[in-house]
Amino acid sequence: MIMWTCRMLLKVLARVLALICAKFDTGNTGKPVGVNSGDGDIDGTKLGDEQRRVYNLMDSTGDNLFITGGAGTGKSFLLQYFVKHTSRQVAVVAPTGVAALNVGGQTIHSFFGMGLGVQRPDDYSQVTDMDSKRREILDGVQVLIIDEISMVSADVMDMIDAKLKYARNNNEPFGGCRIIVFGDLYQLPPVVSSGQASRYIEDRYTTIYYFGADEVRKHPFKIIELQYIFRQKDKVFINILNKIRLGRTSKALLEDINSRCLVSSEDERCITLTGDNSTANIINQERLLALDSREYVYDGAITGDIKQASMPTDLHLHLKVGAHVMMVRNDQADNTSSDKRQKARWVNGTLGVVSQLTKNRIKVEINGVSHWIGREKWEKYQYRYNAEEKKLEKDVVAVFTQYPVKLAYAVTIHKSQGQTYDSVKVDLSRGAFAAGQVYVALSRCRSMESLFLAKALKQEDIKVSREVIDYMKNKVVKPVRKTNDYKIVNVSQRSAKWHRLREGRVTGTTAFYLRRNSVDYAIKKGIENDLGDYTNEYMERGHRLEPVGISKFARQKGLYVESVGFISSLVHNEAGFSPDGVVYGDDGRIVTIIEHKAFCEKHHFACSRKVDNKIMYQIQFGLYVTGAKDAYLVLYNPDVYPQSQQLIIKHIQKDSEIQALFADRFREYEFGKSKLTGSYIYTKKPEHASQCNEGVRKIVVEYRPATEASATMGVDA
């Protein structure tokens, strides 16, 4: 019995510790993508608050979006998260084979059946060159995601538009297909072959970038810029990178960066970033040959058609014990672990040293621990349309099998885009030749201390496209969340912290009591209610249906609805509100609040004709606290019939009488408020309404010991 009790105590203790750890895991953790935190999402990593807001925008509206942000802001992870969680038919494409493999998509040229070279969307034969299967695929796509948009040229973008219009028999922009593009225009630009092709693009388009496409100029994408940087934590280094990204360099800044020329890396695993493949290959081969150990060759396998340039590592992998390598895939073995809180042993980009080799096995030391590495498979996908189920599906058309490692003494800057390294040496001895090249190279590491330069940078090395600067200026949506009269607290509703925030406050739930009672009475009722059971079947049903109902509402209205935890008034400390959703205006203030209900059938139909008084006061109180101009009541219950009544939306404007009543009640409260001393708390009893003077009730303040007050806190008016 004693042993059983001890075991139970240990289990309880373990659970408490797990909850404590979870409490401090708040989204923007700064963890590299791929590290398992036990969340259950992609590789166990959670969305940060900023990413969550952008995800909601992606999932709730029909706008064409450009999701951008500097290096390390989590763009790729947000893309993968959206693909995994959205209910829409999504296709993912990228301009290069490597990029397509990284995001589990297809190359643009393969997906659309484009030929090589310059695209001619005005050439009808090029546009219509597709069979019935490709037409079905293009017609079935609801959302097309394009990654690494900085490398997509204007002619390719116009051809995408033309092919979608033809396949879908729809002359709307992009054939009515929603487009979401990801990338950073301040990073590497499109690569266009020289000669006649380059001259055609120069004559045909105002810029080579994607935003030079005819359809994009006519109907510009909404640009959302991610601000939070996961990769770097050093504010000084972040500031330097941001200035280099925008081309806002100075003599002092160059001196700061070039100070890293005077320092030699003591980390043998430091990876060199070069401007060209030949330099990277020479460095890798020289360093491998310098090792005295036996050389092993591991042959990869290809099923189907995968070009060597698209492979994440070498088809014929040459290794020696002591060789510096880089992992080129997230730890897959961790996916089968029974303990989901176990961290991954490595992520894509982790550096290590080969510690043991056999004919068929590779052992790599990572962070002082050696691991046997198994072969991995990279799948090349091709989309197809399932006519019976009316949905888009992905077929595996080729497979590349190889050990997920590659020599990591050196890699090109182009191939390093999107990666994170522990230690980086930038070798631009031949100079920078592309816009964004220096920024991409410098931003691969996490701190200034892990950055080293083979040659001092010059002002002319830091190239930024003037076209990009002009395009991005004043076009980026940067939501502001600053107000003078309310504060938004990011907290999970129904959590312990949420309940604590509600204590001692009038909320939407208790606002109805203000109709005939004092603020104190409403606070008292709120305390009584919070002591009750919040886990009944009606509450659980509402909690389950709320995300679906609000999502359907947002799509129908074309609004970007965000979720917030709790809003506390800065005008009245005793007022707070928990909306089910909010809509922000251009100035960052809340302009609309959303209240969702999932009533039983009888109440549902009743509210569809006239809003219940308690619900009306709840919504009006939300308008009072936030100052929003209007609200929507969303009634959603898929069990209610007929089907046309499953989603009911009621637009609610401010009621001047109710708003004035709230103001009166809080003036009464403030008028009679006194300072508390000792262990006493106070209640206030309003006199008869006839004794009101200029709309302000006289208040009689009664002090009671705290032990008594809990039972007598507030009285009816």
Side-chain angles (χ1 to χ4, degrees), residues 152-164:
V152 178
S153 56
D155 60 316
V156 171
M157 207 68 188
D158 269 341
M159 181 59 83
I160 292 173
D161 171 65
K163 283 185 174 288
L164 285 171

Side-chain angles (χ1 to χ4, degrees), residues 405-579:
V405 300
K406 67 181 297 181
L407 288 174
Y409 295 104
V411 68
T412 65
I413 294 172
H414 273 74
K415 288 185 179 179
S416 75
Q417 182 161 311
Q419 301 296 327
T420 303
Y421 307 119
D422 293 328
S423 184
V424 169
K425 180 180 180 180
V426 179
D427 186 354
L428 284 171
S429 302
R430 299 185 181 184
F433 58 85
Q437 194 174 20
V438 169
Y439 171 66
V440 170
L442 299 181
S443 60
R444 295 311 94 196
C445 55
R446 294 188 175 90
S447 66
M448 185 83 87
E449 288 70 29
S450 60
L451 172 68
F452 308 91
L453 300 181
K455 179 187 176 183
L457 294 174
K458 301 176 181 178
Q459 181 64 53
E460 53 265 31
D461 291 326
I462 301 173
K463 305 178 186 295
V464 181
S465 168
R466 174 52 56 182
E467 297 168 328
V468 170
I469 293 174
D470 292 341
Y471 175 67
M472 295 294 288
K473 190 183 299 179
N474 300 322
K475 291 182 180 291
V476 178
V477 177
K478 296 180 180 179
V480 179
R481 302 290 182 262
K482 294 181 179 180
T483 62
N484 295 321
D485 47 12
Y486 62 83
K487 176 184 178 183
I488 296 174
V489 185
N490 292 318
V491 60
S492 298
Q493 294 191 12
R494 306 200 303 170
S495 66
K497 186 177 179 180
W498 178 76
H499 279 287
R500 287 197 300 271
L501 287 168
R502 291 164 55 90
E503 288 178 4
R505 285 189 169 102
V506 181
T507 64
T509 308
T510 58
F512 178 71
Y513 297 111
L514 296 179
R515 186 172 65 161
R516 294 190 176 94
N517 300 286
S518 68
V519 168
D520 288 292
Y521 185 77
I523 293 173
K524 171 197 171 189
K525 296 301 292 185
I527 294 173
E528 292 175 353
N529 291 341
D530 278 4
L531 291 175
D533 185 12
Y534 268 77
T535 60
N536 58 65
E537 61 176 303
Y538 306 106
M539 297 292 293
E540 292 300 324
R541 177 179 62 197
H543 187 69
R544 174 175 52 85
L545 294 176
E546 181 181 306
V548 183
I550 290 181
S551 178
K552 288 180 177 292
F553 157 80
R555 292 173 187 172
Q556 182 169 319
K557 291 294 182 180
L559 295 173
Y560 172 31
V561 179
E562 296 192 29
S563 59
V564 299
F566 187 82
I567 301 173
S568 60
S569 173
L570 299 180
V571 179
H572 307 299
N573 291 330
E574 296 76 15
F577 187 68
S578 303

Side-chain angles (χ1 to χ4, degrees), residues 190-331:
V191 178
V192 179
S193 56
S194 58
Q196 295 295 325
S198 176
R199 285 196 290 272
Y200 167 79
I201 293 202
E202 288 176 2
D203 292 340
R204 173 66 176 77
Y205 294 101
T206 57
T207 175
I208 190 178
Y209 290 93
Y210 94 100
F211 54 84
D214 293 340
E215 200 60 66
V216 179
R217 285 192 298 106
K218 294 176 188 174
H219 303 92
F221 290 12
K222 182 181 289 185
I223 305 175
I224 309 295
E225 183 170 24
L226 296 168
Q227 301 286 310
Y228 185 89
I229 297 175
F230 290 84
R231 186 174 295 153
Q232 296 90 16
K233 298 303 174 188
D234 183 347
K235 292 183 179 180
V236 174
F237 189 40
I238 290 173
N239 183 53
I240 290 173
L241 291 177
N242 285 337
K243 288 182 177 179
I244 290 175
R245 178 177 181 246
L246 303 175
R248 299 171 182 171
T249 56
S250 63
K251 184 179 179 180
L253 184 144
L254 285 174
E255 288 177 354
D256 285 341
I257 283 292
N258 287 331
S259 67
R260 305 307 298 171
C261 281
L262 307 175
V263 183
S264 299
S265 172
E266 297 181 358
D267 187 355
E268 294 183 353
R269 304 181 189 183
C270 180
I271 188 169
T272 300
L273 304 184
T274 70
D276 58 281
N277 275 306
S278 60
T279 303
N281 290 335
I282 291 171
I283 293 174
N284 282 324
Q285 292 306 313
E286 286 179 347
R287 298 290 297 274
L288 185 68
L289 287 171
L291 297 174
D292 290 332
S293 52
R294 174 186 172 184
E295 182 173 318
Y296 288 78
V297 181
Y298 300 91
D299 295 324
I302 300 174
T303 304
D305 182 22
I306 295 181
K307 296 180 179 179
Q308 190 162 343
S310 301
M311 297 176 187
T313 187
D314 298 328
L315 178 61
H316 305 290
L317 184 61
H318 294 251
L319 293 176
K320 292 181 179 180
V321 172
H324 293 184
V325 294
M326 176 174 62
M327 309 306 297
V328 293
R329 195 168 194 183
N330 293 345
D331 181 13

Side-chain angles (χ1 to χ4, degrees), residues 328-473:
V328 293
R329 195 168 194 183
N330 293 345
D331 181 13
Q332 301 296 299
D334 184 64
N335 293 341
T336 61
S337 172
S338 59
D339 185 3
K340 297 301 181 182
R341 293 169 296 179
Q342 179 183 329
K343 290 185 176 181
R345 297 168 295 177
W346 61 81
V347 297
N348 189 4
T350 297
L351 300 179
V353 177
V354 176
S355 58
Q356 188 176 341
L357 294 173
T358 67
K359 185 178 179 180
N360 296 307
R361 302 184 77 186
I362 299 173
K363 198 172 194 178
V364 178
E365 181 184 317
I366 299 172
N367 296 326
V369 181
S370 291
H371 307 278
W372 287 108
I373 310 299
R375 292 181 185 267
E376 298 287 351
K377 294 181 179 180
W378 288 264
E379 296 174 334
K380 181 180 178 182
Y381 295 102
Q382 194 168 15
Y383 290 92
R384 68 179 177 89
Y385 184 71
N386 187 326
E388 292 183 1
E389 298 188 16
K390 296 183 178 180
K391 68 178 185 179
L392 209 61
E393 296 177 344
K394 287 195 301 185
D395 291 331
V396 177
V397 295
V399 178
F400 171 59
T401 305
Q402 184 57 287
Y403 292 96
V405 300
K406 67 181 297 181
L407 288 174
Y409 295 104
V411 68
T412 65
I413 294 172
H414 273 74
K415 288 185 179 179
S416 75
Q417 182 161 311
Q419 301 296 327
T420 303
Y421 307 119
D422 293 328
S423 184
V424 169
K425 180 180 180 180
V426 179
D427 186 354
L428 284 171
S429 302
R430 299 185 181 184
F433 58 85
Q437 194 174 20
V438 169
Y439 171 66
V440 170
L442 299 181
S443 60
R444 295 311 94 196
C445 55
R446 294 188 175 90
S447 66
M448 185 83 87
E449 288 70 29
S450 60
L451 172 68
F452 308 91
L453 300 181
K455 179 187 176 183
L457 294 174
K458 301 176 181 178
Q459 181 64 53
E460 53 265 31
D461 291 326
I462 301 173
K463 305 178 186 295
V464 181
S465 168
R466 174 52 56 182
E467 297 168 328
V468 170
I469 293 174
D470 292 341
Y471 175 67
M472 295 294 288
K473 190 183 299 179

